[in-house]
Amino acid sequence: MKKVLVGLAIAAALNLTACSSMATQSNDSYDAVVADATATHAEAKSMDNVWKQKKMKMGYVEHYLDLAAKAKAKGDDAAALKWAKEAQKSAHAEVAQMKENENLKAAWEK
């Protein structure tokens, strides 16, 4: 039992050391993130895969980009970058979903 606990303690220490040495923030600029999100979202639109709910006037990516633009106008660069990265993440997920499922067929199709 003692060996198991020592092994777990060493594994946890190594894991925490590895996590703390990784970079937590990337040095992306606001303009680069917005440009990437916009371009990737345009690709998702061309595939007809825009994520939004029925009652939403805009999709998630447009909503996040709008929040980023409002934060940038107020001078809150940290919030602007946060919302821009959220838009970028959603846009990349839209495209990844389509590429992952492009070869799927319904079970009843032959």
Side-chain angles (χ1 to χ4, degrees), residues 19-27 85:
C19 290
S20 67
S21 66
M22 293 176 60
T24 57
Q25 298 253 344
S26 63
N27 293 328
K85 285 186 178 186

Side-chain angles (χ1 to χ4, degrees), residues 4 8 17 20 22 32 41-42 61 72 85 101:
V4 173
L8 288 174
T17 305
S20 67
M22 293 176 60
H41 185 61
V61 174
K72 186 76 168 171
K85 285 186 178 186
N101 298 320

Side-chain angles (χ1 to χ4, degrees), residues 52-98:
K52 71 177 191 175
Q53 295 179 8
K54 288 184 180 182
K55 294 183 180 182
M56 292 177 72
K57 294 180 182 178
M58 298 185 286
Y60 285 104
V61 174
E62 291 103 352
H63 176 71
Y64 294 142
L65 288 174
D66 184 50
L67 290 174
K70 287 177 183 176
K72 186 76 168 171
K74 289 181 182 178
D76 189 0
D77 292 336
L81 187 59
K82 172 189 155 195
W83 290 118
K85 285 186 178 186
E86 193 67 33
Q88 182 185 36
K89 184 173 84 172
S90 295
H92 281 283
E94 288 174 341
V95 172
Q97 181 184 41
M98 286 303 290

